[in-house]
Amino acid sequence: MSPSATAALTAKATNGLRHCGNLFALALDVLRTVPRRPFQAREFIQQAWFVASVTILPTALVSIPFGAVISLQIGSLTRQLGAQSFTGAASVLAVLREASPIVTALLIAGAGGSAICADLGARKIREEIDAMEVLGIDPVHRLVVPRVLATMAVSVLLNGLVSVVGVAGGYFFNVVLQHGTPGAYLASFTALAQLPDLYAAELKALVFGAIAAIVAAYKGLNARGGPKGVGDAVNQSVVITFMLLFVTNFVMTAVYFQIVPQKGG
Amino acid sequence: MGVEIRVEGLTKSFGHQVIWQDVSLTLPAGEISVMLGPSGTGKSVFLKTLVGLLRPDRGSVLIQGQDVSRLREHALYEIRKLFGVLFQDGALFGSMSLYDNIAFPLREHTRKPESEIRRIVLEKMDMVGLIGAEGKLPGEISGGMRKRAGLARALVLDPEIILFDEPDSGLDPVRVAYLNQLIVDLNAQIDATFLIVTHDIASARQVPDNIGLLFRRELVMFGPREQLLTSDEPVVGQFLNGRMQGPIGMAEEKDAAQVEQELAELDAGRHTGPRGGKGASGEGVVPRLLPSPGITRSPRWQAIAEREEMAALRARVADHARSRRSARDAAEEVD
Ligand SMILES: Nc1ncnc2c1ncn2[C@@H]1O[C@H](COP(=O)(O)OP(=O)(O)OP(=O)(O)O)[C@@H](O)[C@H]1O
Ligand SMILES: [Mg+2]
């Protein structure tokens, strides 16, 4: 490799590391600022409402086919294995443990995070953020913390919604379309699934919400170069959030299996 | 009382691009200073460095014994309460009405009741001529109105230091006149320290105590108004006359040979091309703009007014003597 290419690569790498560090610094800053009074209740409620309004409908619409696909897959798999009596349990397990956090992650990052990033990015390039700082107001306290908390709350809510809609969708497809027996479906619910599954999923959703909002805020607050810069920031924020969320999901799932004993094992 | 700002050896760069280096100046407490400079020389960057929005590479900005460029986040937010800043584009909060924008600092930093806030906000809106537009969103008003609303917001907390980034851009000449009078009146009333970035030479000649000029990554000059207005630096002359001939080019710098040639042309009295844009009608000291008659003048302004009166008197005497002399000369010729 030529020296200049190496130099360019090193520059890229250090740049990446620096962004990583700054992102982490913002996360710590948010953590430190959460307890600061006065709590921005108005902003929190507005943002929660806003994030919910851009995510709920798509979430419901995505989770129905998602639940259906899972239940189709599992329905035919259990039939092949001769374990139809576990269809309900397996669907619930799949929806609760994996489908709902993933769907939540997709929508929180894709719809919620991108909206937050665009909003903050537009404010940044119009110098509103600078003006706020000059007026002696910390944008992290005033804008970022309420958004992070709101996204976390909505994310937990969405996860619940996906679980319910997914399970209901699964029931519909299994019982109505694949002619399973309702009794067996419902009876097997608790055979494999357990309450900690739900807790773990909600915890995942909470963490996903935090990550999505912090990345969106970071990218938004560092937008530069006019409207195109905001577009780029939104794009990057969504991509980065997806990657982070899938990695986090994997890690949290692995940890979950280590610490929570599984039923029927 | 205003607060002094002492800038020492300030240098700022973005990546490899040096914006300016080794800038040292003192904005005296309670005085009005103007910063001039071709577009893109980093005047806005300088203002942002003064309030700690940008960190310089080297140097210090001293306010009340504290170095703004090295303050921790928390202390920075404290010291910013001294400032009122008008950004180049107004920087209003797009989601709030003009009224809420102007009330914002009061609501955040004071415990005043809403009736008191209303009184102050309406007073400031009246001052900048925006009564009737309270409910409008920033997106629904003209650029000049945005500017004036930003001005009202910058003034609402009675700041000790007021930084204006091109307050006159986007305003019509009449509004510029009102604005200049407003700045002088404000200075006489609240004694704050003003720094105004502007391209309007006519305002720069009448309004300030001090003028500075940024060019070629350096502070070419900073000092009393008279010093810059009578300077024979080629850049200053070019700027005050709004000429094309001189060191400043379209892309900031010209090549040395061409500058050399153009300056020789000027020395020979050959002016070419347009001139006089943005009130740049030449060098020389002009009478200072004084506070409106109704305003009670601080000792500082009394002294300035007396000095101006003396200068006017001297000018009249000189004028009189000159006309007498020419009348005598004419009479002698007839003889
Ligand atoms: N955040 C930033 N990152 C990188 N470069 C910047 C940044 N802000 C300003 N610059 C650069 O600094 C230089 C000076 O910009 P600045 O806005 O201060 O000019 P100015 O003197 O205010 O010009 P004008 O009179 O047109 O307002 C420009 O070349 C600009 O590209
Ligand atoms: Mg500028």
Side-chain angles (χ1 to χ4, degrees):
Chain A
M1 208 191 288
S2 73
S4 72
T6 322
L9 212 64
T10 333
K12 267 224 166 72
T14 44
N15 204 20
L17 274 180
R18 206 184 61 230
H19 277 297
C20 241
N22 290 346
L23 179 62
F24 211 70
L26 178 66
L28 284 181
D29 221 21
V30 168
L31 207 63
R32 228 175 18 154
T33 316
V34 166
R36 190 180 327 152
R37 299 300 104 176
F39 178 67
Q40 300 292 326
R42 238 177 90 142
E43 188 84 13
F44 171 76
I45 293 169
Q46 273 175 356
Q47 286 301 316
W49 180 247
F50 171 68
V51 174
S53 69
V54 296
T55 50
I56 283 187
L57 187 64
T59 305
L61 292 180
V62 168
S63 48
I64 294 170
F66 221 98
V69 164
I70 288 178
S71 99
L72 282 176
Q73 291 275 11
I74 288 179
S76 72
L77 186 69
T78 48
R79 209 162 326 116
Q80 283 168 322
L81 295 175
Q84 283 99 324
S85 58
F86 280 115
T87 306
S91 303
V92 171
L93 217 56
V95 167
L96 269 191
R97 278 192 189 157
E98 277 317 312
S100 69
I102 291 290
V103 169
T104 309
L106 291 177
L107 283 141
I108 280 290
S114 60
I116 288 176
C117 184
D119 177 32
L120 292 181
R123 289 173 191 241
K124 172 72 189 177
I125 62 160
R126 282 202 307 255
E127 296 187 316
E128 282 185 31
I129 305 285
D130 288 349
M132 199 170 255
E133 285 186 34
V134 170
L135 290 172
I137 292 155
D138 182 2
V140 172
H141 175 230
R142 172 84 197 189
L143 299 175
V144 179
V145 166
R147 279 168 174 71
V148 171
L149 295 181
T151 314
M152 288 165 80
V154 173
S155 176
V156 168
L157 211 96
L158 281 188
N159 189 56
L161 179 75
V162 177
S163 302
V164 171
V165 175
V167 170
Y171 176 85
F172 177 79
F173 272 81
N174 187 263
V175 173
V176 179
L177 297 184
Q178 292 186 317
H179 310 295
T181 42
Y185 191 90
L186 292 178
S188 65
F189 254 38
T190 50
L192 294 176
Q194 49 185 345
L195 222 42
D197 288 337
L198 183 65
Y199 299 153
E202 293 289 37
L203 183 67
K204 276 184 188 174
L206 206 64
V207 173
F208 291 172
I211 292 178
I214 288 173
V215 172
Y218 174 73
K219 277 289 160 191
L221 290 180
N222 287 292
R224 58 169 55 172
K228 177 165 186 315
V230 179
D232 293 344
V234 172
N235 180 292
Q236 289 167 8
S237 120
V238 172
V239 173
I240 293 173
T241 314
F242 276 172
M243 294 194 308
L244 283 180
L245 292 193
F246 279 86
V247 172
T248 316
N249 184 35
F250 169 71
V251 172
M252 288 183 79
T253 308
V255 170
Y256 174 72
F257 281 129
Q258 286 301 315
I259 58 175
V260 178
Q262 296 303 301
K263 270 191 180 176
Chain B
M1 269 289 122
V3 172
E4 177 186 272
I5 305 184
R6 217 163 70 233
V7 176
E8 279 166 7
L10 213 59
T11 299
K12 174 74 192 169
S13 51
F14 290 110
H16 294 297
Q17 185 194 8
V18 178
I19 305 297
W20 27 250
Q21 52 197 352
D22 212 16
V23 172
S24 300
L25 57 85
T26 299
L27 301 178
E31 295 192 4
I32 306 177
S33 305
V34 156
M35 185 64 80
L36 299 174
S39 195
T41 40
K43 301 180 297 299
S44 300
V45 170
F46 184 68
L47 290 190
K48 287 183 185 170
T49 312
L50 291 187
V51 272
L53 283 173
L54 293 172
R55 302 252 175 195
D57 307 346
R58 276 194 303 281
S60 54
V61 177
L62 291 167
I63 296 172
Q64 294 183 332
Q66 289 175 294
D67 183 354
V68 172
S69 61
R70 270 178 205 80
L71 282 183
R72 306 277 318 220
E73 197 91 347
H74 184 71
L76 200 54
Y77 280 114
E78 277 308 307
I79 208 158
R80 280 186 188 142
K81 291 182 184 161
L82 293 175
F83 283 92
V85 180
L86 170 63
F87 284 86
Q88 195 158 353
D89 307 312
L92 299 172
F93 303 127
S95 55
M96 294 183 199
S97 70
L98 291 194
Y99 182 92
D100 289 334
N101 258 289
I102 297 167
F104 183 83
L106 289 170
R107 290 184 179 144
E108 292 290 330
H109 289 306
T110 68
R111 303 204 167 282
K112 291 189 164 61
E114 201 58 29
S115 59
E116 172 82 359
I117 290 180
R118 185 170 179 77
R119 190 185 61 71
I120 299 176
V121 171
L122 289 182
E123 178 196 301
K124 302 290 181 214
M125 290 190 85
D126 185 31
M127 202 157 84
V128 297
L130 281 176
I131 292 292
E134 295 94 331
K136 291 242 167 63
L137 288 173
E140 305 168 345
I141 58 176
S142 78
M145 288 167 85
R146 268 200 291 280
K147 204 101 213 200
R148 285 183 278 152
L151 183 66
R153 190 181 63 185
L155 296 178
V156 84
L157 283 180
D158 296 327
E160 304 275 355
I161 303 168
I162 302 185
L163 306 180
F164 288 154
D165 201 346
E166 301 190 18
D168 45 56
S169 74
L171 295 188
D172 59 89
V174 176
R175 257 56 170 266
V176 171
Y178 275 103
L179 179 78
N180 286 341
Q181 190 65 60
L182 179 64
I183 288 173
V184 169
D185 289 354
L186 272 175
N187 182 262
Q189 283 167 315
I190 62 178
D191 263 337
T193 307
F194 284 63
L195 178 60
I196 305 165
V197 165
T198 183
H199 289 302
D200 186 47
I201 302 297
S203 305
R205 290 175 77 189
Q206 301 175 56
V207 174
D209 295 281
N210 311 291
I211 310 185
L213 177 72
L214 273 175
F215 175 59
R216 264 194 204 146
R217 297 174 286 286
E218 275 174 7
L219 185 67
V220 176
M221 190 175 269
F222 183 86
R225 181 176 76 114
E226 294 77 11
Q227 180 189 333
L228 190 126
L229 291 180
T230 53
S231 156
D232 45 18
E233 281 275 338
V235 209
V236 176
Q238 184 185 8
F239 214 74
L240 293 181
N241 284 289
R243 279 191 303 250
M244 282 164 39
Q245 293 163 299
I248 310 171
M250 192 57 164
E252 183 151 3
E253 280 170 48
K254 292 183 190 166
D255 66 67
Q258 191 186 351
V259 173
E260 208 57 47
Q261 187 200 336
E262 287 180 358
L263 290 180
E265 279 174 12
L266 280 177
D267 281 340
R270 258 183 295 128
H271 299 274
T272 56
R275 51 178 292 175
K278 290 254 173 204
S281 53
E283 50 281 88
V285 182
V286 294
R288 246 190 108 165
L289 187 59
L290 295 173
S292 315
I295 308 275
T296 40
R297 292 176 185 176
S298 57
R300 190 175 92 77
W301 275 104
Q302 274 166 15
I304 293 173
E306 276 161 27
R307 233 184 307 134
E308 285 298 312
E309 245 168 68
M310 287 301 290
L313 207 62
R314 265 201 305 277
R316 262 220 311 283
V317 169
D319 221 30
H320 192 64
R322 206 169 27 245
S323 61
R324 284 252 306 264
R325 211 166 32 242
S326 59
R328 203 174 51 223
D329 290 349
E332 275 168 9
E333 241 162 66
V334 172
D335 284 346

